[in-house]
Structure formats: structure tokens, C-alpha cells
Amino acid sequence: MLLQLLINTLIVGSGYGLIAMAFRLMYSVSPFFNLTLGSVVAVSAYAALYFTPSLRAGAIFPVVAIAALLSWALEAFAYKPMRDRRASPMILLVASLGLYTIFESVISLAFGVKYHALGDGAQIYLGFTTMPLVQFLIIIFNFAVFAGLSVFLHHSFMGKQIRAVNDEAALAHMIGMKTDRIIMIVSVITGAILGLSGVLIGYDTGMEPTMGFNLLFKGIIAAIIGGMRNLRGAFFGALFLAFSENVAVWAFASEWRDLVAFAIFITFLYLRPQGIFQKKVEA
């Protein structure tokens, strides 16, 4: 029972982790709650539904490219013009809510509101258990993205620029950093990660038009648990959230999953809003 609980935590936590890390990366350079990131996940899943019959496993490549392009386009044509007009984070949030609603409606009109499944049933034997291949890939990609982003942010010139914008955007702009260019690059990386997560989650649990908001909200909770300015926090916060949800499902029922997530969300906002891995700033 404990082994299965840990495996389920890794699977669910890895799905949350991909989205949490993408959200945290985008938030680091464009600090508002961008709900259209959830739309990118949903669009990616449905794009996989469209491409899979003809391209099979190769569908992941055009889907990730579409997700990266969509994320870039949203920044270039929606949010950058509003930032140029000095729109507040609240205005950007409301705009993202409107855009998310449009995407959800278009998906519903194009594919219907019914549930769709992509899974092909392929299994992998790990020596101590058997699991669907897609769940194994979710875990692998989660750790790979975490390792890749960590190296990129700490050991590349662009990564150091991103961290500088995260630490002090106004100062970074004053010393000559092209912050708009950095935001666009980050939006492409974020879109690619969300596209990957959309494909994998679509194959694992299927899809429906509202899936983007639900997944993004879990990713936001995971990022808040770990600390909004900390990539490591998003990674481990997702695992903590998944473990808590799975314990609730094991002890009570699956209906408790979202209740536990909301309870943890409110608890951290009230008791430790800076998250687990972020030090409290003294006044």
C-alpha cells in the first residue's frame, strides 16, 4: 500500500510539477497569475488528439511547437501591449481570464464537451511494479525538465538574465537588459513545457475543455507551497501536494482530492505565504 501511494505521488506530482515549473518560470519575468497558461495545456492536449491518428508518437513534436508558438503569441499580441500601457497585474489577470474563456469555448465548439481519451494501454515493467508507459514518461520528463531548467537558469547567460529580471525587473531594465526580449524567450520555453505536459496528461487521464484551469490551479498551489520565486520549490511543492491528495484519497475517497488541495492552499496563504523554500523577508 505504501509503495503504491509513493508511486501515485510520483505520477500525479510529476504532472503537477511540469505545470508548476512552467508557471513559476513565466511568473519570474511576468509576475501576474496568467490563466492562459492553462489554455496552452488544453490546446496542446486537443492538438495531440488531432495529430495522433496520423503521426502517432511523432505528434508530440508539432504539439510542442504549437504550444510554444501560442504562448509566444499571447505575450507578443496580448500582454506586451498592455504592459506597455502600464496595465496593473490585476488588469492582466482579468484579461487572461477573458482569453482563457475564449479558448475554452472554442475547444468546446470544435471538439465538444465530452471526455476524450488518448491512451494506448502500453505498459512498462520496472522490476517491482508495472505502470502505463505514459506515466513513466511523465515522471522522467518532470525530473529532466527540473534538471534542465536548473542548469539553464544557473549556468547560462540567458538564465542569469532571467534570474536578474526575477530579482529586480526595474533595475535589470535600467542597466540595459532587454526585458521584453527575455520575456518572449521565457514564454516560448514555458509554452514548450506546457505543450509537453498537455500531451502526456492527455494520454494519461484524457481531456475535456475545462482541464486547463484545473491543472493550472494545482500547479499554482504547488508553486505557492514551495515558494513563488523558487524553481526547487515548485518541483517539491508539487510532490507535497500530490502526496497530500493521495493520502486523502487512500484514507477517505477520491472526492476529497480537491478539498485537500484547497485546504493546503488556504493554509499556506495564511500561515506561510512565502512558501517552504523561501526565507521570510524581515520588515
Side-chain angles (χ1 to χ4, degrees), residues 74-87 184:
L74 286 168
E75 279 297 322
F77 300 110
Y79 302 126
K80 182 182 181 300
M82 285 189 282
R83 282 197 304 270
D84 291 342
R85 296 184 179 91
R86 301 184 182 278
M184 292 304 167

Side-chain angles (χ1 to χ4, degrees), residues 74-158:
L74 286 168
E75 279 297 322
F77 300 110
Y79 302 126
K80 182 182 181 300
M82 285 189 282
R83 282 197 304 270
D84 291 342
R85 296 184 179 91
R86 301 184 182 278
S88 67
M90 180 57 70
I91 295 297
L92 293 171
L93 169 61
V94 173
S96 73
L97 175 60
L99 288 168
Y100 171 84
T101 303
I102 291 172
F103 278 107
E104 184 179 310
S105 299
V106 170
I107 291 173
S108 298
L109 289 172
F111 294 93
V113 297
K114 65 179 182 179
Y115 170 86
H116 292 275
L118 277 173
D120 58 4
Q123 301 281 317
I124 183 170
Y125 180 64
L126 300 177
F128 56 90
T129 188
T130 300
M131 70 168 60
L133 175 60
V134 66
Q135 293 182 349
F136 177 73
L137 292 176
I138 290 173
I139 295 172
I140 294 299
F141 277 117
N142 181 49
F143 280 86
V145 168
F146 174 61
L149 283 180
S150 297
V151 172
F152 171 69
L153 291 173
H154 289 87
H155 299 286
S156 71
F157 179 67
M158 177 55 64

